[in-house]
Amino acid sequence: IWARPLRAEAANTRWMPTRSPVRASHPYLTRESDGKPHPGRRHQQRHLRRGSPAGRSACRPPAGAPQASHLPQSPAGFRTLARWLAHQQVPKVWACLEATSTYGEALAEFLHQQGHTVSVVNPLQIKHYADSELSRTKTDRTDAAVIARFCRAHQPLRWTPPAPELRELQALCRRRQQLEAMLTQESNRLSVPGLSKAEQASLRKHCRALERLIADLALQTQEHLHAHPALAAQRDLLCSIPGIGDKTALCLLAEMGD
């Protein structure tokens, strides 16, 4: 994680993040003002970036050299981050994460549970923003600085964790997609000419096992929908659109929510 304070134009200035597609990896943390003018006191912001799997953190106080530490991508690392923020006297932050599939979801949820504001942005936006600045250097620190400038300029949309029932549906759909991809791969291997009998038997056995797992996940998905009528109603509404089947409707509902 890397942080650096920036100056705002007034003591009561507050940076507000904007709309942008969602997904988490580079935190951009903002210290919010209490809204009261303080003569001679400047509002500060801190921008953090999480690397993988262990991040590097640094904070540049108004007058002082950068401070750095390594924070692992784990619950212990998250607790260390919370202590680090407390040590920097930052009670509330605005964290902006660059989406990296599910990699940053745990950190985003941890920060949200701690009462911080979280934004998750599309990495393509960050890339194009860096291109617009003619930025070519790729290091943790330069990436963090680019994300910080992007967040301050474009103000990403606030992120909120999905409801538990929606998260469960998402997990079921994603796992089913993974198994279906594996089944396609094994079926393609089975069609290759010249396979030995042992290879064919192994592939057929694996295909049957994958088919059973996929059927079991489909059953679990239906049971989940029965347990949550609101999700079932949304699924039925999506299926009423011409060209949208049950599987597509479930994927749309799982990934896009309401």
Side-chain angles (χ1 to χ4, degrees):
I1 299 175
W2 178 57
R4 90 180 224 219
L6 298 180
R7 292 182 177 178
E9 296 180 358
N12 59 353
T13 302
R14 177 181 174 185
W15 293 108
M16 301 289 295
T18 73
R19 301 183 168 270
S20 98
V22 178
R23 245 189 353 168
S25 173
H26 311 304
Y28 153 80
L29 304 186
T30 300
R31 184 183 193 179
E32 296 184 359
S33 167
D34 56 8
K36 299 178 182 179
H38 298 275
R41 192 174 105 182
R42 297 285 186 138
H43 175 66
Q44 295 181 354
Q45 295 184 332
R46 288 179 169 80
H47 302 265
L48 275 70
R49 181 208 192 280
R50 176 170 54 78
S52 61
R56 173 179 296 175
S57 71
C59 176
R60 186 189 302 274
Q67 302 171 1
S69 65
H70 292 279
L71 302 177
Q73 169 70 352
S74 65
F78 301 160
R79 291 191 294 270
T80 302
L81 172 61
R83 290 193 297 269
W84 183 81
L85 291 173
H87 178 71
Q88 302 302 326
Q89 298 182 347
V90 182
K92 188 175 181 181
V93 300
W94 196 301
C96 181
L97 315 179
E98 187 182 34
T100 55
S101 184
T102 60
Y103 183 77
E105 288 183 358
L107 175 60
E109 189 155 356
F110 172 81
L111 290 170
H112 187 273
Q113 290 173 352
Q114 295 295 310
H116 302 300
T117 302
V118 180
S119 296
V120 186
V121 300
N122 190 322
L124 192 59
Q125 291 183 287
I126 304 299
K127 179 182 181 301
H128 289 318
Y129 184 80
D131 291 342
S132 72
E133 291 188 331
L134 302 180
S135 176
R136 297 182 179 180
T137 307
K138 289 290 293 181
T139 66
D140 284 353
R141 294 198 174 202
T142 56
D143 285 351
V146 169
I147 293 169
R149 293 193 297 271
F150 169 84
C151 291
R152 186 173 63 175
H154 294 279
Q155 304 178 347
L157 179 68
R158 295 187 183 198
W159 176 87
T160 54
E165 62 272 16
L166 196 59
R167 187 185 294 275
E168 179 67 19
L169 179 62
Q170 187 180 79
L172 289 169
C173 290
R174 288 181 177 179
R175 183 54 183 163
R176 180 174 176 176
Q177 290 173 348
Q178 293 169 358
L179 293 176
E180 288 174 343
M182 294 171 61
L183 179 60
T184 300
Q185 292 174 347
E186 294 293 72
S187 298
N188 290 338
R189 293 188 182 102
L190 190 58
S191 64
V192 174
L195 293 176
S196 66
K197 291 183 179 180
E199 288 176 311
Q200 293 178 12
S202 176
L203 288 169
R204 290 194 180 96
K205 182 178 180 180
H206 193 199
C207 287
R208 288 193 295 270
L210 289 172
E211 289 169 352
R212 287 193 297 270
L213 289 172
I214 292 171
D216 183 57
L217 282 175
L219 180 60
Q220 292 181 49
T221 303
Q222 293 304 319
E223 292 174 349
H224 183 70
L225 291 173
H226 290 319
H228 299 89
L231 288 179
Q234 291 177 326
R235 186 274 313 272
D236 295 340
L237 183 62
L238 287 171
C239 288
S240 67
I241 302 173
I244 301 294
D246 184 72
K247 186 184 297 185
T248 303
L250 287 175
C251 290
L252 290 173
L253 183 58
E255 299 299 335
M256 300 181 66
D258 298 336

